[in-house]
Amino acid sequence: MRLLHTSDWHLGRAFHRVNMLGAQAGFIGHLVDTVREREVDAVVVSGDVYDRAVPPLAAVELFDDALHRLADLGVPTVMISGNHDSARRLGVGAGLIGRAGIHLRTDPSACGTPVVLADEFGDVAFYGLPYLEPALVKAEFGVGKPDHEAVLAAAMERVRADLAARPPGTRSVVLAHAFVTGGQPSDSERDITVGGVAAVPAGVFDGVDYVALGHLHGCQTITERVRYSGSPLPYSFSEAGHRKSMWLVDLGADGSIGAERVDCPVPRPLARIRGTLEELLADPALARHEEAWVEATLTDPVRPADPMTRLTERFPHTLSLVFAPERAPQDPGPSYARRLAGRSEQQIAEDFVAHVRGAGPDEDEQAVLRDAFDAVRADEAVREVAR
């Protein structure tokens, strides 16, 4: 059976205020063409279909168009909700849409109930594990410690129990939206840390033939059977080095895996350039970036006058301007914003405690801070579901 694995469409999302809807529509067309031309048997979409719980109308219309085009091909599609989606909204009409071969899996309680498709070698069971927010699903899965590993492990127990009751030789595919240990994150993914831990071990998914992951935006292989497709488009400059693609997976009669990357259309390349303003304007080696979306980091010791206007004369698609002055050792240190860059809320809070009283929090105090941040994030998740 030939599968096309994709995820993290983030329909409705902009890139540094650039409307990406046209590029997203271009990707949907590419997806449909790939399904047709490469004779795909099933499409799997591993969450974050939308960028937010209440997406703009144009994004909903594009999603509707995608569903119609996939249904017209007669190729089954299995989708799960991600941490950016509203599971309840995405799942509206799932039963009816399923009759057209579009299977939306957004209900955590249905993790152990697969979509069963067949080829000439027998059945393939597709298990959809939507994003499992530990605070919201701990009761459903009966876990004492509400963290990602515990709820995913409980969900996979249901998967393995159902699979064990099926005829011998039944192959299996799991769709999941999670941060798996070994994956490389980028700046555009929403933090899903719980209890100070975001990642879960790949071993949680043992016992199935292929795991189609979503959440991380870089296409990557965790193991031969556990892979991220990544997002089809870039959503931060940290993805400048990404090759955006989907996985074309051939699932053999014995459960063996063959995987090929299928490149996605590039609306415009990304470039990160660094130097003084005069260096960036004069360097001939940067000519290749003149039509790219550019993030420019200026190292001038004193902020130059009107830098964005001057940069856009050479690089008209400059979207981000960062100031990182190279100072002499006796000069003041970096700005507050730069000191906070890349640090988690927990780390910032701990630094604040250390600044105020001269010593950082002890283990018990760290736990109190961690519980407070988890409670706020869980409350936000509950509010988003209720919207």
Side-chain angles (χ1 to χ4, degrees):
M1 182 174 286
R2 174 164 286 184
L3 317 175
L4 187 63
H5 167 200
T6 178
S7 71
D8 295 273
W9 295 357
H10 289 279
L11 300 181
R13 186 167 185 163
F15 179 72
H16 287 268
R17 300 177 304 282
V18 173
N19 189 317
M20 295 289 279
L21 202 65
Q24 291 168 340
F27 161 69
I28 296 298
H30 171 69
L31 170 72
V32 172
D33 290 343
T34 301
V35 170
R36 182 191 306 109
E37 294 166 6
R38 301 301 299 270
E39 299 181 338
V40 169
D41 298 306
V43 176
V44 295
V45 185
S46 299
D48 282 353
V49 173
Y50 292 121
D51 188 57
R52 57 181 187 263
V54 185
L57 179 59
V60 177
E61 290 173 339
L62 180 55
F63 180 58
D64 181 65
D65 177 64
L67 295 187
H68 278 86
R69 295 172 73 179
L70 288 168
D72 287 345
L73 291 176
V75 175
T77 299
V78 184
M79 295 183 172
I80 61 172
S81 49
N83 61 301
H84 281 251
D85 300 310
S86 165
R88 292 175 64 184
R89 282 186 172 83
L90 188 63
V92 168
L96 185 61
I97 295 171
R99 299 179 188 177
I102 308 293
H103 305 280
L104 301 174
R105 290 295 184 262
T106 63
D107 182 359
S109 67
C111 285
T113 304
V115 176
V116 180
L117 306 177
D119 62 10
E120 64 268 34
F121 303 113
D123 288 346
V124 180
F126 290 78
Y127 297 90
L129 278 57
Y131 173 67
L132 302 175
E133 171 58 51
L136 302 183
V137 301
K138 61 181 180 180
E140 167 65 33
F141 292 106
V143 298
K145 184 180 180 183
D147 61 25
H148 289 292
E149 182 175 355
V151 296
L152 275 170
M156 284 302 300
E157 287 179 4
R158 296 187 184 184
V159 168
R160 284 186 281 267
D162 180 85
L163 189 58
R166 294 188 175 275
T170 300
R171 291 157 291 162
S172 53
V173 175
V174 166
L175 290 74
H177 196 86
F179 187 173
V180 175
T181 303
Q184 297 298 313
S186 60
D187 293 344
S188 53
E189 298 127 8
R190 183 181 294 172
D191 181 29
I192 59 170
T193 301
V194 174
V197 178
V200 300
V204 164
F205 299 104
D206 286 350
V208 296
D209 294 310
Y210 185 69
V211 181
L213 292 174
H215 180 58
L216 299 185
H217 287 184
C219 181
Q220 48 202 298
T221 301
I222 305 301
T223 71
E224 179 190 11
R225 297 184 181 277
V226 181
R227 300 171 186 261
Y228 283 99
S229 66
S231 61
L233 294 166
Y235 294 110
S236 73
F237 276 102
S238 66
E239 300 167 54
H242 288 188
R243 173 187 162 196
K244 296 301 184 181
S245 56
M246 303 176 284
W247 284 113
L248 192 67
V249 177
D250 286 319
L251 182 60
D254 58 354
S256 58
I257 295 293
E260 172 191 346
R261 289 179 71 175
V262 178
D263 289 337
C264 295
V266 179
R268 191 178 296 279
L270 306 187
R272 297 178 115 172
I273 59 178
R274 182 185 181 93
T276 66
L277 179 59
E278 295 304 327
E279 288 170 346
L280 299 183
L281 294 176
D283 187 351
L286 299 180
R288 67 186 189 278
H289 300 314
E290 290 177 354
E291 294 303 317
W293 280 322
V294 169
E295 178 186 73
T297 299
L298 298 184
T299 60
D300 302 74
V302 177
R303 185 173 301 201
D306 208 10
M308 181 62 88
T309 299
R310 296 176 65 189
L311 273 171
T312 53
E313 289 176 358
R314 183 179 187 189
F315 306 102
H317 305 288
T318 301
L319 300 180
S320 176
L321 191 56
V322 180
F323 294 97
E326 293 180 351
R327 302 179 185 275
Q330 67 272 20
D331 285 347
S335 69
Y336 180 69
R338 287 184 60 205
R339 293 199 303 273
L340 296 186
R343 300 183 67 75
S344 69
E345 293 172 332
Q346 177 88 13
Q347 291 170 323
I348 294 169
E350 291 177 7
D351 288 348
F352 176 76
V353 172
H355 174 74
V356 169
R357 73 180 188 191
D362 59 27
E363 289 186 4
D364 290 340
E365 291 168 331
Q366 289 174 350
V368 170
L369 288 171
R370 191 161 47 244
D371 290 345
F373 283 120
D374 287 349
V376 170
R377 198 178 55 80
D379 182 65
E380 289 175 348
V382 171
R383 290 173 182 272
E384 190 162 279
V385 168
R387 289 175 65 188

